[in-house]
Amino acid sequence: MPMEEKRESRSALRGAGGVMVKILAVILTTVLLITAGLCGVVWILSRGPSPTAQKLFVLSVRETSAVGFLADMFLSEEEVAAIAAEAEDTGSDEQTDTSMIQVNKPSDSETVENPENPDPEEEQPEQPEIPTSDLPEDTDGDGIEIVDVSGKGFRGKMMFVFDPTRVFVGTPPTLGGVGQTLMDMVETYEAVGGINGGGFYDPNGTGSGGIPDGILISNGELLYGSAGVSYSTVGFDAEGVLHVGNMTPQQAVDAGLQHAVSFGPALIINGVIQDEGGALVSGVNPRTAIGQRADGVALLLVIDGRQIGCLGATYEDLAQVMLEFGAVNASNLDGGSSTLMVYEGEIQNVCASVSGPRPIPTAFLVK
């Protein structure tokens, strides 16, 4: 090769190398600026002038195993512990008053007002007002309707199941080992749809989603739950009545629960929001909840989050949404990246997990 061509070749290589160095420098600078910006945002939220923003930030990140460490970046262990103590879920000792629920199945030809002919002068339990204007019509005749819900900083979906006896707890074939995504669980049971259920053992976000945390009852069989330990529990009895509150496995069995899981906190019991002692203090995140109206209609709720313009909801937000739709009893379920609703083979909300729907051990499904 002539000397002149060699010089031109070397010059071209040096030029290309120089361009690559400049590109890498730009990329590195951009990454550093983004990192510095994020650290600045975390510092402002953690140490800034707003105690409300500080509490909301700490509680929000602590509710997820993926970024929980952010709460410790600029705050001491004592400071984080003090904030977290405001949101400790002590659970509710109040028990569900089943007389407040009158399940009206679609198959019922008429409602029997006084099946036992009670004394008209005898004081009867006060029945919550049912906001029938908020109950959508069963347009396609399958006993299920889904509507959009929204609030300040959040949006989601509410599924109405007109016959609550259709709701049951599904589990994966490898329960205790590897979990199953909600979509797969719906297909396994040939269900119409459903939402994710109770909590599960997930150390540092590395669990396989197959081990439930707390009580698990499916088809009337107690599958998980330590004897004598009280758990925040939610589940349906054989009549389709939803029970919410703290109970031991034996108490759950004695109450006749056929399908139940554990998580919490309880949101509404007997028409009353359970907000005493800061029970509903929380951050904002994707949420899942289940409730029931006085007429027995089951309410399955998912709230999206961790998105621009849709950060998520607090427990108080959930309780208010449930109350607005007539819930007499309601409970929070596992949320965050587990939050999901499926109906007729389609995911109805936006999954917050970057890797897609997570494997889970339990789900409330609709047959």
Side-chain angles (χ1 to χ4, degrees):
M1 177 183 295
M3 186 62 66
E4 185 175 345
E5 291 184 7
K6 289 183 179 180
R7 282 198 297 268
E8 290 177 355
S9 179
R10 285 196 295 267
S11 177
L13 288 173
R14 284 195 298 268
V19 171
M20 290 299 299
V21 169
K22 290 179 180 179
I23 292 175
L24 291 174
V26 170
I27 293 174
L28 180 60
T29 301
T30 302
V31 171
L32 291 174
L33 288 173
I34 292 174
T35 302
L38 290 175
C39 288
V41 171
V42 172
W43 186 90
I44 292 173
L45 292 172
S46 300
R47 310 298 303 183
S50 173
T52 301
Q54 180 192 62
K55 181 169 72 174
L56 196 62
F57 169 72
V58 170
L59 295 178
S60 296
V61 298
R62 279 177 58 85
E63 290 174 353
T64 173
S65 56
V67 296
F69 68 91
L70 292 177
D72 305 313
M73 285 183 64
F74 300 108
L75 293 172
S76 66
E77 292 183 7
E78 292 75 16
E79 289 173 315
V80 173
I83 295 173
E86 298 182 40
E88 289 185 355
D89 176 21
T90 57
S92 175
D93 293 327
E94 187 173 357
Q95 298 300 309
T96 299
D97 181 357
T98 58
S99 69
M100 298 179 72
I101 308 297
Q102 178 62 55
V103 177
N104 297 317
K105 302 176 185 178
S107 59
D108 294 342
S109 57
E110 60 182 4
T111 301
V112 181
E113 295 185 1
N114 296 302
E116 298 179 5
N117 299 315
D119 186 347
E121 297 183 359
E122 183 180 347
E123 184 177 353
Q124 300 298 314
E126 182 179 353
Q127 298 295 322
E129 181 180 351
I130 302 174
T132 53
S133 60
D134 290 332
L135 185 62
E137 295 182 1
D138 183 12
T139 56
D140 58 4
D142 72 343
I144 296 174
E145 283 296 316
I146 298 176
V147 301
D148 294 326
V149 299
S150 63
K152 187 177 180 179
F154 68 84
R155 60 178 176 269
K157 299 283 187 179
M158 177 77 83
M159 178 186 292
F160 295 81
V161 183
F162 291 81
D163 179 0
T165 61
R166 294 176 60 185
V167 183
F168 66 99
V169 170
T171 60
T174 53
L175 181 65
V178 179
Q180 195 174 29
T181 66
L182 177 60
M183 182 71 79
D184 288 342
M185 207 178 295
V186 167
E187 292 179 359
T188 297
Y189 283 90
E190 297 183 349
V192 177
I195 58 175
N196 61 291
F200 54 95
Y201 184 61
D202 188 30
N204 300 317
T206 61
S208 59
I211 304 177
D213 185 11
I215 290 174
L216 168 57
I217 299 176
S218 183
N219 292 318
E221 182 180 358
L222 177 64
L223 301 177
Y224 275 82
S226 299
V229 178
S230 185
Y231 302 93
S232 182
T233 305
V234 56
F236 290 91
D237 62 22
E239 301 302 316
V241 176
L242 185 70
H243 295 242
V244 175
N246 270 12
M247 59 188 80
T248 64
Q250 188 58 53
Q251 289 173 327
V253 170
D254 292 343
L257 297 192
Q258 300 296 300
H259 295 279
V261 300
S262 291
F263 203 70
L267 301 172
I268 303 171
I269 298 180
N270 302 329
V272 179
I273 292 181
Q274 304 297 296
D275 56 356
E276 291 188 9
L280 299 187
V281 174
S282 73
V284 291
N285 272 301
R287 304 289 184 190
T288 305
I290 190 167
Q292 187 172 46
R293 294 159 51 105
D295 55 4
V297 175
L299 309 174
L300 281 58
L301 173 67
V302 292
I303 298 293
D304 291 337
R306 299 176 188 170
Q307 307 166 41
I308 296 176
C310 182
L311 297 178
T314 65
Y315 294 153
E316 291 180 352
D317 292 330
L318 284 186
Q320 288 297 331
V321 170
M322 280 293 187
L323 199 64
E324 289 171 7
F325 280 95
V328 176
N329 297 293
S331 177
N332 178 59
L333 296 172
D334 189 16
S337 55
S338 296
T339 290
L340 207 65
M341 176 185 288
V342 170
Y343 175 64
E344 292 190 339
E346 299 290 338
I347 293 176
Q348 300 298 306
N349 65 308
V350 179
C351 179
S353 175
V354 294
S355 59
R358 302 183 66 185
I360 54 177
T362 60
F364 279 104
L365 305 178
V366 184
K367 58 188 175 184

